[in-house]
C-alpha cells in the first residue's frame, strides 16, 4: 500500500469528493479517507441538488470540471427550472435525485479517477511540523504522510444527535462521530464553535394518501445541469407533492416543546436561519396557521419518502402524532424519526481565499467545517480546495474567483471576509453582480480559466469556444440583416407588439419584450444556415443571443461596476500589516482588520465595521 501521497482528503461527502476528484484530475496522488466506504457521496438530508443560487453553483462546478453536475444528471428523477416567471438572473435549476443512485454514481466516478485512492478509517490526528501539515494518524494506528491535507468533516467532528431528550454520539443516523481533531487544532490556536442542523422523518410512501396532496410534476421539457454531452435530460420523471400543516398539528407539536432540545437548552449551536425546524417555525411565526410540507420521493425503486419542511428533533411519539394530522398522512408509517445534529466548525475568517488555513501551511478546510449548509456550497468549496492544494504543491499561484466572476467567488469571499455565526446558505441576493452570474453562462465565464490551470478538459474548452463563435455569428447576423414592414408585421403584431413603418435591423426587434429569438429566426434569411451548424448547442446559443440582446444595457452597467470593484481588488495589502499602529483608523476597523487580515483593498472594503473613511486612510498609507 502506498503510504505517501500528495494530498489526503478527509471525508467523502460532497466537499471531499469534489476535492479528491479535482486534485486527482490535475495530477496529484490523492488518498480519500472515509469512515465508511459504503456511504461515499451520501445525500444526508434531502435527495435534491440545486435550487435558487444553489443551481447556479452546481453549473459553475460543472463548468470548472467538477463532477456534481454530471452525477446529478445521471441520478435525476425530476427536473425543474425555478423562477421562470422572473428575469434570467433568477432562473435556477433544481433536480430531485435517486439517493442511492446518486451515491453509487459518485463512487463509480471516483473509482474511475486514476489518481484517487481510498482508505476506510477514522482520522484522529493531523501530523503538523514547523507550522506545516505532514499527514494524518488514523484510528487503526496508521501514519499516512502527505504534503497537503483537506479536511471536509461535515457534521462528524464531535457530532451529537438529538431526538427529544435522547442524545446519541454521531454525525449522521447510524454513523459514529469523529473525535480528536478539534481539540488538537484549538490547542495550536484555532478558534472553534458549534453549529446545528436537522433532518425530517422518512416515511413509507405506501402509507401516504396522495389523493389529499397537491401534485408537483417536473418540467414538461426538462433541462439538465452538466454542459457535457455525456449526460442527457431525464426522459421520465417522478412527481413531488405538497400539503400543509394546520393549527391542530401545531398544537400537538407544542406538547413536546418542554422536551425539545432546541428549547430546553441542550442544543448550543445555531441552526440554519433559512431552513428552520418545524418547531422553530411555529414558534417564530406564531401568527401563521399553516406551513408548506413538500413530499419528495427518494428514488425510482424505493417507497422511502422525504418530508421536506418537517425537520424536527422532538420526541418520536410527538413527531408521529403531529405527522398523522397532516392531510394525506393519517396512516403514515415512519421509517425513522427526524433528528438534530450538533457539530464543530471553525470560523472561516481563519482561512485564505484559497481555503488554506492561515495557521498551518498545506491544511485546507472545505464544507460544513467552514460554517456552510447545503450540498452545493460544500461541493464548490471542496473543488476549490482540491484545485488550490494541487497548485500549491506545484508552486503555482492559487486559483481565486472574484465576486463578479462566480457565485463560488461570492460564497468564499463572504466566508473569509465576514465569517459566519450561523450556517451560511447561498442566495441570489448575496451576489451584487447576479445579472452577470447566470446559470446559463457558467461555462462561458469559467471553463477557459479552469482549462488554463489543468482541470477543465480540452473537449470542454473546444465546446465553449464553439458556443462563443456561434453566438457571435448569430448576433452579427441580427445586427446586419434588415426586415421590411410588410414582411415583419405579419409576425410581430400577433405577438402583441406594435407594427413597424420602415425597415429595421432584426437586432432592434429582439429588444422588444414580446418577441423571442424564435420569432426573429422565422423572419430571417441568414439565421437558419447558422443554426443548422449548432448541433447540440442550438438551444444554448439561442438563449445566449436572446438574453444578451434583451439585457444588454443592464449587463453593460454591471460590467462597469465590476471593473470599479476590480480596481480595488488589484490593490494588495500586506497580510502582516500592523493595523494597530495606524491610529487614524477607527478602533473597530483596526480590530476587524487585525482579525481578518485582508489580502486586497477590495476585501477590506467588504469587512463589516470598515468605513469609507478607513479605506481612505489605508489608501493614503499605501501612497494612493
Amino acid at each position: 500500500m502506498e503510504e505517501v501521497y500528495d494530498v489526503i482528503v478527509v471525508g467523502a461527502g460532497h466537499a471531499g469528493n469534489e476535492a479528491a476528484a479535482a486534485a486527482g484530475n490535475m495530477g496529484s496522488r490523492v488518498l480519500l479517507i472515509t469512515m465508511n466506504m459504503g456511504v461515499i457521496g451520501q445525500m444526508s438530508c434531502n435527495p435534491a441538488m440545486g435550487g435558487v443560487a444553489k443551481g447556479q453553483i452546481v453549473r459553475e462546478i460543472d463548468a470548472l470540471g467538477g463532477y456534481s453536475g454530471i452525477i446529478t444528471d445521471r441520478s435525476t428523477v425530476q427536473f425543474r427550472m425555478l423562477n421562470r416567471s422572473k428575469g434570467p438572473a433568477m432562473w435556477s435549476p433544481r433536480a430531485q435525485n435517486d439517493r442511492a443512485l446518486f451515491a453509487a454514481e459518485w463512487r463509480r466516478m471516483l473509482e474511475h479517477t486514476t489518481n484517487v485512492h481510498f482508505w476506510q478509517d477514522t482520522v484522529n490526528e493531523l501530523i503538523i511540523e514547523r507550522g506545516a501539515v505532514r499527514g494524518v494518524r488514523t484510528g487503526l494506528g496508521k501514519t499516512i504522510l502527505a504534503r497537503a491535507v483537506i479536511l471536509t468533516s461535515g457534521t462528524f467532528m464531535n457530532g451529537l444527535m438529538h431526538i427529544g431528550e435522547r442524545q446519541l454520539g454521531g454525525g449522521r443516523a447510524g454513523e459514529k462521530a469523529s473525535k480528536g481533531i478539534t481539540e488538537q487544532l484549538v490547542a495550536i490556536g484555532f478558534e472553534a464553535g458549534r453549529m446545528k442542523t436537522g433532518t425530517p422523518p422518512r416515511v413509507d410512501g405506501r402509507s401516504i394518501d396522495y389523493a389529499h396532496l397537491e401534485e408537483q410534476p417536473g418540467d414538461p421539457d426538462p433541462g439538465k445541469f452538466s454542459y457535457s454531452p455525456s449526460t442527457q435530460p431525464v426522459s421520465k420523471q417522478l412527481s413531488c407533492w405538497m400539503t400543509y400543516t394546520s393549527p391542530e398539528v401545531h398544537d400537538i407539536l407544542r406538547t413536546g416543546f418542554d422536551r425539545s432540545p432546541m428549547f430546553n437548552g441542550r442544543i448550543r449551536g445555531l441552526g440554519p436561519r433559512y431552513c428552520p425546524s418545524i418547531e422553530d417555525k411555529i414558534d417564530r411565526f406564531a401568527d401563521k396557521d399553516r406551513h408548506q410540507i413538500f413530499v419528495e420521493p427518494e428514488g425510482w425503486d424505493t417507497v422511502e419518502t422525504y418530508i421536506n419542511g418537517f425537520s424536527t428533533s422532538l420526541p418520536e411519539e410527538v413527531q408521529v402524532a403531529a405527522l398523522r394530522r397532516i392531510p394525506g398522512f393519517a396512516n403514515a408509517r415512519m421509517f425513522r424519526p427526524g433528528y438534530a445534529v450538533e457539530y464543530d466548525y471553525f470560523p472561516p475568517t481563519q482561512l485564505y481565499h484559497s481555503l488554506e488555513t492561515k495557521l498551518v501551511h498545506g491544511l485546507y478546510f472545505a464544507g460544513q467545517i467552514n460554517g456552510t449548509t447545503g450540498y452545493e456550497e460544500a461541493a464548490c468549496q471542496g473543488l476549490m480546495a482540491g484545485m488550490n492544494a494541487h497548485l500549491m504543491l506545484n508552486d503555482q499561484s492559487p486559483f481565486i474567483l472574484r465576486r463578479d466572476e462566480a457565485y463560488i467567488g461570492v460564497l468564499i469571499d463572504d466566508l473569509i471576509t465576514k465569517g459566519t455565526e450561523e450556517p451560511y446558505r447561498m442566495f441570489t441576493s448575496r451576489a451584487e453582480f447576479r445579472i452577470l452570474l447566470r446559470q446559463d453562462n457558467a461555462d462561458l465565464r469559467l471553463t477557459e480559466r479552469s482549462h488554463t490551470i489543468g482541470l477543465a478538459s480540452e473537449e470542454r474548452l473546444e465546446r465553449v469556444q464553439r458556443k462563443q463563435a456561434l453566438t457571435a455569428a448569430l448576433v452579427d447576423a441580427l445586427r446586419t440583416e434588415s426586415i421590411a414592414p410588410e414582411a415583419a408585421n405579419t409576425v410581430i403584431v400577433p405577438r402583441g407588439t406594435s407594427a413597424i413603418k420602415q425597415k429595421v435591423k432584426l437586432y432592434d426587434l429582439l429588444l422588444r419584450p414580446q418577441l423571442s429569438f424564435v420569432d426573429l429566426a422565422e423572419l430571417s434569411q441568414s439565421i437558419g444556415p447558422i443554426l443548422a451548424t449548432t448541433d447540440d448547442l442550438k438551444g444554448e446559443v439561442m438563449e445566449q443571443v436572446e438574453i444578451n440582446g434583451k439585457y444588454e444595457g443592464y449587463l453593460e452597467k454591471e460590467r462597469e461596476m465590476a471593473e470599479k470593484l476590480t480596481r480595488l481588488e488589484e490593490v494588495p495589502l500586506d497580510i502582516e500589516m500592523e493595523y494597530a499602529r495606524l491610529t487614524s483608523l477607527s478602533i473597530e476597523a483596526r480590530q476587524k482588520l487585525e482579525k481578518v487580515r485582508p489580502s486586497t483593498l477590495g476585501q477590506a472594503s467588504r469587512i463589516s465595521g470598515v468605513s469609507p473613511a478607513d479605506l481612505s486612510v489605508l489608501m493614503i498609507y499605501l501612497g494612493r
Side-chain angles (χ1 to χ4, degrees), residues 403-583:
R403 297 181 71 90
D404 63 311
E405 291 180 312
Y407 272 91
I408 297 173
V410 174
L411 181 147
I412 292 176
D413 186 64
D414 278 354
L415 293 175
I416 304 312
T417 303
K418 302 173 184 177
T420 185
E421 295 179 353
E422 61 184 43
Y424 176 101
R425 179 178 179 179
M426 178 53 73
F427 291 100
T428 51
S429 58
R430 295 192 189 273
E432 56 269 55
F433 304 114
R434 55 187 171 273
I435 299 179
L436 299 178
L437 309 182
R438 306 182 311 275
Q439 58 84 30
D440 61 89
N441 68 356
D443 57 339
L444 299 174
R445 291 184 276 120
L446 301 174
T447 297
E448 186 173 357
R449 284 203 59 192
S450 179
H451 177 267
T452 300
I453 61 167
L455 182 55
S457 67
E458 190 69 31
E459 292 76 16
R460 289 283 187 128
L461 179 63
E462 289 174 359
R463 185 181 187 278
V464 167
Q465 290 173 337
R466 199 158 52 90
K467 182 174 174 179
Q468 290 171 326
L470 288 167
T471 301
L474 286 172
V475 169
D476 186 60
L478 291 173
R479 288 189 186 278
T480 55
E481 186 176 353
S482 298
I483 186 80
E486 55 271 21
N489 291 336
T490 56
V491 173
I492 70 173
V493 173
R495 304 292 191 272
T497 187
S498 58
I500 60 172
K501 297 179 180 179
Q502 58 187 27
K503 274 190 173 185
V504 298
K505 300 293 185 185
L506 286 175
Y507 194 82
D508 294 332
L509 290 179
L510 182 62
L511 304 184
R512 298 190 179 194
Q514 301 90 345
L515 301 178
S516 68
F517 180 86
V518 174
D519 298 324
L520 302 187
E522 186 179 333
L523 295 169
S524 172
Q525 301 295 316
S526 57
I527 287 177
I530 298 173
L531 287 178
T533 67
T534 57
D535 301 326
D536 59 313
L537 290 171
K538 182 176 180 179
E540 293 180 42
V541 169
M542 290 168 61
E543 186 176 56
Q544 286 303 302
V545 174
E546 183 160 339
I547 291 173
N548 288 330
K550 291 187 183 300
Y551 292 86
E552 186 176 32
Y554 299 102
L555 291 167
E556 189 56 40
K557 196 169 292 186
E558 283 216 345
R559 287 190 190 98
E560 290 175 5
M561 291 173 61
E563 286 172 7
K564 290 179 182 178
L565 175 69
T566 302
R567 294 188 200 117
L568 287 179
E569 297 295 342
E570 290 173 349
V571 180
L573 291 174
D574 184 354
I575 59 172
E576 302 298 329
M577 188 182 295
E578 296 182 38
Y579 293 102
R581 297 177 58 186
L582 301 182
T583 55

Side-chain angles (χ1 to χ4, degrees), residues 37 45 91 116 167 200 203 236 299 319 358 387 417 452 478 600 621 623:
M37 287 281 292
C45 202
W91 297 350
V116 175
Q167 293 182 334
V203 170
K236 62 176 182 174
Q319 294 187 35
K358 294 176 179 176
M387 295 167 80
T417 303
T452 300
L478 291 173
T600 69
Y621 176 78

Side-chain angles (χ1 to χ4, degrees), residues 358-369:
K358 294 176 179 176
L359 284 179
V360 179
H361 177 63
L363 177 62
Y364 294 77
F365 291 169
Q368 285 176 285
I369 191 173

Side-chain angles (χ1 to χ4, degrees), residues 67-111:
Y67 285 169
S68 288
I70 292 172
I71 286 160
T72 300
D73 289 345
R74 290 178 179 170
S75 58
T76 293
V77 300
Q78 186 195 90
F79 184 93
R80 294 177 69 192
M81 185 66 76
L82 307 181
N83 291 332
R84 272 290 192 185
S85 62
K86 300 179 181 178
M90 300 295 289
W91 297 350
S92 303
R94 184 182 190 271
Q96 203 71 31
N97 296 93
D98 183 309
R99 185 189 298 276
L101 185 56
F102 185 92
E105 280 294 322
W106 251 124
R107 179 162 177 169
R108 189 182 71 81
M109 290 285 283
L110 289 170
E111 288 182 353

Side-chain angles (χ1 to χ4, degrees), residues 90-318:
M90 300 295 289
W91 297 350
S92 303
R94 184 182 190 271
Q96 203 71 31
N97 296 93
D98 183 309
R99 185 189 298 276
L101 185 56
F102 185 92
E105 280 294 322
W106 251 124
R107 179 162 177 169
R108 189 182 71 81
M109 290 285 283
L110 289 170
E111 288 182 353
H112 284 77
T113 304
T114 307
N115 285 328
V116 175
H117 307 267
F118 304 87
W119 181 246
Q120 180 170 294
D121 207 340
T122 302
V123 173
N124 296 334
E125 183 185 353
L126 302 172
I127 301 170
I128 299 171
E129 298 173 357
R130 295 187 294 278
V133 73
R134 292 289 179 258
V136 301
R137 292 191 178 93
T138 75
L140 293 178
K142 293 187 68 63
T143 295
I144 308 174
L145 302 180
R147 296 188 292 155
V149 173
I150 303 173
L151 206 52
T152 68
S153 54
T155 60
F156 284 85
M157 287 208 304
N158 291 320
L160 184 63
M161 295 184 294
H162 300 264
I163 305 174
E165 296 177 297
R166 285 183 294 157
Q167 293 182 334
L168 307 165
R172 187 163 57 203
E175 297 180 58
K176 64 181 182 179
S178 169
K179 299 182 182 297
I181 295 178
T182 298
E183 294 75 12
Q184 178 191 7
L185 292 178
V186 168
I188 63 174
F190 281 88
E191 177 189 351
R194 294 285 277 178
M195 280 190 177
K196 166 241 163 187
T197 189
T199 193
R202 308 303 199 269
V203 170
D204 186 337
R206 297 170 299 182
S207 67
I208 299 171
D209 186 352
Y210 291 94
H212 293 279
L213 275 56
E214 179 184 330
E215 187 173 8
Q216 290 191 307
D219 287 349
D221 183 21
K224 66 189 187 89
F225 275 97
S226 180
Y227 293 97
S228 168
S230 67
T231 68
Q232 298 299 320
V234 63
S235 58
K236 62 176 182 174
Q237 302 184 71
L238 294 176
S239 286
C240 294
W241 306 80
M242 187 169 68
T243 184
Y244 294 89
T245 61
S246 65
E248 182 184 15
V249 173
H250 298 177
D251 289 341
I252 294 172
L253 290 168
R254 289 190 184 98
T255 65
F257 277 14
D258 61 326
R259 292 176 287 161
S260 167
M262 195 184 80
F263 293 121
N264 60 25
R266 279 198 301 276
I267 290 180
R268 294 181 289 112
L270 282 175
R273 177 187 298 267
Y274 301 103
C275 188
S277 64
I278 188 65
E279 55 263 40
D280 194 19
K281 281 192 277 193
I282 64 175
D283 179 62
R284 283 166 51 191
F285 308 108
D287 57 317
K288 293 188 178 294
D289 58 9
R290 69 175 191 170
H291 294 284
Q292 291 176 322
I293 300 294
F294 298 96
V295 182
E296 302 175 346
E298 295 263 355
W300 295 111
D301 300 313
T302 179
V303 296
E304 188 172 354
T305 307
Y306 183 87
I307 314 304
N308 199 340
F310 203 82
S311 173
T312 180
S313 57
L314 287 168
E316 288 175 51
E317 63 272 18
V318 178

